[in-house]
Amino acid sequence: MENIFSYIISLGASVMMPIIFTVIGLCIGMKFGKALRSGLYVGVGFVGLGIVTALLTSNFGDPLTLISQIYHLQLNVFDMGWPAAAAVAYNTAVGALIIPICLGINFLMLITKTTRTVNIDLWNYWHFAFIGAVVYFVFDQSLAWGYFAAIVCYIITLVMADLTADKFQGYYEGLDGISVPQPFCQSFVPFTLCIDWVLEKIPGFNKLDVDAEGLKKKFGVLGEPLVLGVIVGALIGLVAQLEVKRVLFLGVTMGAVMELIPRITKLFIDGLMPISDKTKDIVEKRFHGKRVFIGMSPALVIGHPTSLVCTLLLIPTYLVISVVLPGNQFLPLASLAGLFYLFPIMLPYTKGNVVRTYIIGLVALLVGLWFVTDMAPDFTKAAASVFAATGDKAADVPDGFMAGSMDFASSLLGYTIYAATKYAKMIGAAVLVIVTVGMMLWNRRLIIKDEKAASQALDSHSNKKQ
């Protein structure tokens, strides 16, 4: 079984997701051609996103490394980036069977009405494997502790996906019936709610409402993500003291990334729409108004203009903060491409306000730097173990460094589970169990209440017809 799932994982999201979506389309009654086209659109979207991400990391990796050398920014935690973090997570004993175990839990939660989300975003299961792998090494390679951490993370994420689904669907057009069960994104919801509440209490600031469109009107062409991308890319080249043609190339490249991402994310929506519409029809006809959400990757919406603008503003700020922040040992370089994924669940709550979104993202990243630094020793054990067993260069850590990655290691949910198990052990585990079960029961209560209301509305509608 381990070999089977390792092979499935090795296919990558661009191959896995077309297969999954084609099968789902056939299962819900779509014609083969239509189901295949939907699946291929999603697959092509992942290919395009991979190309654009590679465009960013391959062209900016060397200049950012050069900046760290020029200004002697030698921090002790080496940034592996999310692809390497995912490789480490999946190649540990916990990651080997994370997909079947989580799918089983998802099924049990669906039949017990503790979730509405069917999480088919299989590639991003590496987040659950990641926290499981780190805790596995905290407790001297204990599978029980590793799977406990992964399962707690998975259940909380599914409940959070349900609780944020209405906001998500209300903000983004054409995504009815979709939720985002990705723990990295969901981890920023508590930050968003708390900081947004504080910002709302500040006189004058609560009336400041600048969205991406307003930014364009205020600053003209300089407010567009494309032009902002060119400016930020060129600034990175200038700080790295590169020659003029290289500076200009980096500017155009960053601008291209900002322009291409919205176009690529449209492919995801084109692929999802037929399946989403068909699912809605089936649910309305056969389940009498009961709702089921399809759990999908946040890659669907990372091309939102506010997300792009805030990512561009955060790149230089994040680098500066990482250098001056007391107690931090992590310099984010390879992880910068993951900044796009901060905002998918944040924007529905900030209503796309650029200033608020930027401030919340900045605070979350600042705290996340401490999380990565504290988790680094145990993540380094996981990376070293994978490298020793497989020889995978992605898991190799340079001499004198520890391993780290912004992606999920800097998230509130992942770090809370890690800290609770490492520092409080059985007491921490007990608290996590109480919180997890409490969230499940609360979600079940909301689901049953919603189903009763839908059933009564349907009965009322039927009586009126008679």
Side-chain angles (χ1 to χ4, degrees):
M1 186 179 286
E2 181 179 338
N3 289 335
I4 290 170
F5 282 100
S6 293
Y7 179 76
I8 291 172
I9 291 163
S10 69
L11 294 175
S14 59
V15 175
M16 268 200 316
M17 300 314 284
I19 295 171
I20 291 169
F21 273 92
T22 302
V23 171
I24 288 173
L26 293 173
C27 289
I28 62 176
M30 292 174 66
K31 291 182 180 179
F32 176 76
K34 199 170 183 180
L36 178 63
R37 186 166 58 248
S38 288
L40 289 175
Y41 270 131
V42 175
V44 171
F46 274 108
V47 171
L49 201 57
I51 292 171
V52 171
T53 302
L55 189 68
L56 188 65
T57 53
S58 62
N59 285 290
F60 285 87
D62 289 342
L64 289 171
T65 303
L66 193 59
I67 289 172
S68 70
Q69 292 170 353
I70 291 171
Y71 299 99
H72 307 291
L73 311 179
Q74 296 300 325
L75 302 178
N76 294 328
V77 180
F78 172 71
D79 186 3
M80 298 185 74
W82 74 262
V88 169
Y90 274 135
N91 280 288
T92 59
V94 176
L97 296 177
I98 196 70
I99 291 178
I101 287 173
C102 285
L103 286 176
I105 290 167
N106 198 166
F107 175 73
L108 288 174
M109 290 181 69
L110 286 167
I111 62 175
T112 56
K113 295 184 180 180
T114 50
T115 190
R116 285 173 164 152
T117 294
V118 181
N119 187 3
I120 63 169
D121 184 20
L122 298 187
W123 174 247
N124 276 320
Y125 276 45
W126 77 262
H127 290 90
F128 312 113
F130 178 89
I131 191 60
V134 174
V135 173
Y136 169 74
F137 282 96
V138 167
F139 290 93
D140 297 322
Q141 302 184 32
S142 167
L143 273 174
W145 277 103
Y147 279 120
F148 169 77
I151 290 167
V152 165
C153 185
Y154 188 71
I155 292 172
I156 292 175
T157 301
L158 284 178
V159 174
M160 290 291 292
D162 283 0
L163 298 177
T164 57
D166 286 337
K167 279 276 188 181
F168 178 82
Q169 295 166 22
Y171 184 74
Y172 298 104
E173 294 181 8
L175 292 178
D176 292 344
I178 303 298
S179 66
V180 178
Q182 197 229 44
F184 182 67
C185 285
Q186 293 294 346
S187 286
F188 295 105
V189 174
F191 279 110
T192 304
L193 294 175
C194 293
I195 300 171
D196 194 57
W197 182 84
V198 172
L199 295 176
E200 187 64 30
K201 301 298 180 182
I202 299 174
F205 193 92
N206 53 12
K207 300 190 184 302
L208 185 62
D209 186 11
V210 182
D211 60 9
E213 289 302 317
L215 208 63
K216 286 183 190 178
K217 291 176 183 176
K218 192 172 184 64
F219 296 101
V221 70
L222 294 176
E224 295 184 11
L226 169 61
V227 179
L228 280 172
V230 172
I231 293 170
V232 171
L235 283 174
I236 290 173
L238 287 170
V239 175
Q241 300 178 12
L242 300 176
E243 57 183 330
V244 174
K245 66 178 181 181
R246 183 70 175 152
V247 169
L248 295 175
F249 174 77
L250 289 178
V252 174
T253 300
M254 182 69 89
V257 170
M258 294 301 119
E259 185 66 22
L260 289 172
I261 282 180
R263 297 172 188 264
I264 290 167
T265 54
K266 186 178 181 299
L267 289 169
F268 290 112
I269 296 172
D270 290 343
L272 272 177
M273 280 300 293
I275 290 177
S276 178
D277 291 342
K278 184 69 174 178
T279 303
K280 270 177 59 180
D281 291 342
I282 290 173
V283 169
E284 287 175 3
K285 289 177 182 176
R286 299 188 183 181
F287 296 94
H288 308 293
K290 295 178 183 177
R291 296 196 294 167
V292 177
F293 303 139
I294 299 174
M296 269 300 300
S297 168
L300 286 169
V301 294
I302 63 170
H304 190 280
T306 298
S307 179
L308 296 176
V309 169
C310 289
T311 299
L312 284 168
L313 295 175
L314 278 173
I315 287 174
T317 318
Y318 190 30
L319 289 169
V320 172
I321 284 180
S322 66
V323 175
V324 300
L325 184 67
N328 174 55
Q329 287 296 315
F330 176 67
L331 181 64
L333 297 176
S335 289
L336 290 177
L339 287 176
F340 294 105
Y341 292 89
L342 263 71
F343 307 108
I345 307 298
M346 197 183 293
L347 294 186
Y349 291 91
T350 62
K351 299 180 177 64
N353 187 314
V354 172
V355 179
R356 291 194 183 202
T357 305
Y358 171 74
I359 292 172
I360 294 167
L362 187 60
V363 173
L365 287 174
L366 184 152
V367 176
L369 288 169
W370 287 320
F371 292 166
V372 178
T373 300
D374 191 44
M375 198 185 291
D378 293 303
F379 182 40
T380 305
K381 292 179 187 177
S385 173
V386 169
F387 179 70
T390 66
D392 187 351
K393 285 294 180 184
D396 194 13
V397 183
D399 292 336
F401 285 87
M402 291 184 291
S405 174
M406 181 202 75
D407 306 86
F408 194 53
S410 67
S411 77
L412 180 64
L413 177 54
Y415 182 77
T416 299
I417 294 170
Y418 167 78
T421 52
K422 180 175 182 176
Y423 299 119
K425 296 183 172 60
M426 295 305 297
I427 295 174
V431 172
L432 287 173
V433 169
I434 292 169
V435 170
T436 303
V437 172
M439 290 182 70
M440 291 170 69
L441 294 176
W442 183 32
N443 198 34
R444 173 180 163 80
R445 184 180 176 185
L446 293 175
I447 291 170
I448 292 173
K449 182 180 178 181
D450 192 48
E451 287 181 351
K452 281 183 180 178
S455 178
Q456 289 171 358
L458 191 65
D459 291 343
S460 175
H461 182 69
S462 298
N463 293 333
K464 283 182 180 179
K465 276 190 173 181
Q466 290 175 359

